[in-house]
Amino acid sequence: MTRLRIGIMGAGSIGAYVGGRLAAAGEDVVLVGRSWLADEIAAAGLSLQRFDGPVTTLAADEVTFVLDDAALADCDVVLVCVKSAHTAGVGDALAARLGRADVLVISLQNGVGNGEVLAAALPGHKVVPAIVGFNVVAESPARFRRTTGGPIVFPDDAALRPVAAALEGAGLEVEMQADVVAAQWTKLLINLNNAVIALCDTTTPGLIGDADARRVVARLVEEGLSVLRASGIRPRRIFGIPIGVLPRLLRLPTWVVRLVASTQLKPDPRARSSMWEDLTRGRRTEVEYLNGEIVRRAAEHGLRAPANERVVALVHAAEEAAQGPPGMTPAALWAQIDEACRAH
């Protein structure tokens, strides 16, 4: 098999982790990212850890990390890992850089519409949506910790098998599924908890262990499920159970939820959401592409999603305050969500 040259466009937490794993496995990889990470890698190398495994550290000279996306011009595959708000700009940039029509572009992003945005900017290229089923948090300097299990999900397409083989060779689980749209929506429903972790300044285990936090997530997911029913989309199972059961599961006693989580989810004790990391670093979040997507799709079907509307407003207020995660108690957040739903 011909060796692929793989580009990572947007080497943040997911991009650096996936690209670093590929580089550690001997793949030909170039990472395009921010200057702060380039400086950290130059000083300390790139360290990668899964919560149930050892740390892998690459020396600075073992990582090709650049600031200029011109380095992607000779790649065979480009994995797009930027935040959703930057997708359109990245599509335009790639259109100017990718001279060959046979370059494969794969979206490894949150949300459900990024593949379409990239495809519109890159006519003639094969653009593929994919799903990253795990979470990664950034720990300085240049250390990225994977905090949950889960595969990278690709469409069942023969053209993607060489990429899947490279990722599997790097120790990443890959699944090929016929219906990636359903998988994307399922991931979006799960990601509705990201805002709760960010607003409450808590961890994934902290959310699991708090009944009020779980009640918030249950309400957010219920609204999402209503949107999917109206759209005719059937989400996939999660952790072996229909996702429609998730709101009921979240409302069970804490000891039951913890038991299920310990056998199915197994989160790292320090696991947090990317939205929490964005607020911590003073960046705009992806709330409009997660909870906001539910709000917009609900409106298209003449529905309302008041819980998700309130969460979007609270996250935007935290962004404007620029003081990091606001640290709301789960009880206070639930009171806000309950008020919004009663008013509706």
Side-chain angles (χ1 to χ4, degrees):
M1 184 181 298
T2 303
R3 190 178 186 218
L4 297 172
R5 180 164 174 78
I6 302 172
I8 306 292
M9 183 61 179
S13 294
I14 293 295
Y17 185 85
V18 172
R21 285 290 179 199
L22 289 166
E27 297 292 339
D28 184 7
V29 185
V30 56
L31 293 87
V32 180
R34 303 287 188 182
S35 58
W36 67 267
L37 184 51
D39 293 341
E40 288 189 355
I41 291 174
L46 177 63
S47 294
L48 312 164
Q49 183 177 19
R50 179 171 169 153
F51 66 91
D52 58 357
V55 177
T56 299
T57 300
L58 297 165
D61 60 3
E62 295 178 294
V63 183
T64 303
F65 192 103
V66 300
L67 308 182
D68 189 347
D69 58 23
L72 301 173
D74 62 347
C75 287
D76 303 298
V77 180
V78 175
L79 306 180
V80 177
C81 304
V82 300
K83 297 290 186 181
S84 296
H86 302 302
T87 303
V90 163
D92 292 339
L94 291 177
R97 295 299 189 193
L98 305 182
R100 292 164 28 213
D102 62 342
V103 178
L104 178 63
V105 178
I106 302 175
S107 167
L108 294 184
Q109 300 168 272
N110 285 329
V112 295
N114 289 301
E116 295 173 1
V117 173
L118 290 171
L122 295 163
H125 287 276
K126 187 176 183 67
V127 178
V128 179
I131 303 103
V132 179
F134 53 83
N135 185 43
V136 176
V137 296
E139 299 176 340
S140 295
R143 183 185 179 108
F144 295 89
R145 182 180 179 87
R146 177 174 168 172
T147 58
T148 60
I152 296 175
V153 180
F154 284 153
D156 191 3
D157 186 330
L160 299 173
R161 286 173 190 155
V163 185
L167 291 166
E168 288 175 332
L172 298 166
E173 182 186 354
V174 176
E175 288 184 8
M176 310 288 274
Q177 296 183 5
D179 190 354
V180 169
V181 172
Q184 282 184 305
W185 275 102
T186 303
K187 175 73 186 302
L188 187 145
L189 291 180
I190 297 300
N191 279 346
L192 296 178
N193 82 87
N194 286 8
V196 179
I197 290 172
L199 290 169
C200 296
D201 193 12
T202 189
T203 61
T204 301
L207 182 152
I208 291 169
D210 191 284
D212 285 321
R214 296 198 311 273
R215 283 203 290 178
V216 174
V217 177
R219 187 66 61 85
L220 298 175
V221 172
E222 283 173 337
E223 291 181 354
L225 288 167
S226 295
V227 167
L228 264 61
R229 284 194 293 271
S231 304
I233 298 170
R234 295 187 62 183
R236 298 186 59 83
R237 288 174 171 256
I238 184 73
F239 310 129
I241 63 173
I243 198 166
V245 175
L246 184 60
R248 280 182 284 165
L249 174 62
L250 290 170
R251 292 187 174 103
L252 291 175
T254 295
W255 72 267
V256 177
V257 179
R258 279 180 169 155
L259 179 62
V260 173
S262 68
T263 59
Q264 298 294 329
L265 182 60
K266 300 178 182 177
D268 185 291
R270 291 178 284 176
R272 294 183 184 266
S273 68
S274 58
M275 202 174 296
W276 173 90
E277 184 177 330
D278 288 338
L279 289 183
T280 299
R281 292 179 176 266
R283 301 185 301 223
R284 302 297 291 187
T285 73
E286 290 187 296
V287 70
E288 287 290 348
Y289 300 90
L290 300 175
N291 306 80
E293 188 72 32
I294 299 300
V295 174
R296 285 189 296 276
R297 297 291 180 120
E300 289 175 5
H301 294 285
L303 303 172
R304 286 283 304 279
N308 282 280
E309 287 177 15
R310 181 62 60 91
V311 161
V312 170
L314 289 169
V315 171
H316 283 324
E319 291 171 342
E320 293 302 321
Q323 295 178 347
M328 299 178 69
T329 66
L333 178 56
W334 169 248
Q336 290 247 10
I337 296 304
D338 193 46
E339 176 192 46
C341 292
R342 288 177 185 277
H344 170 66

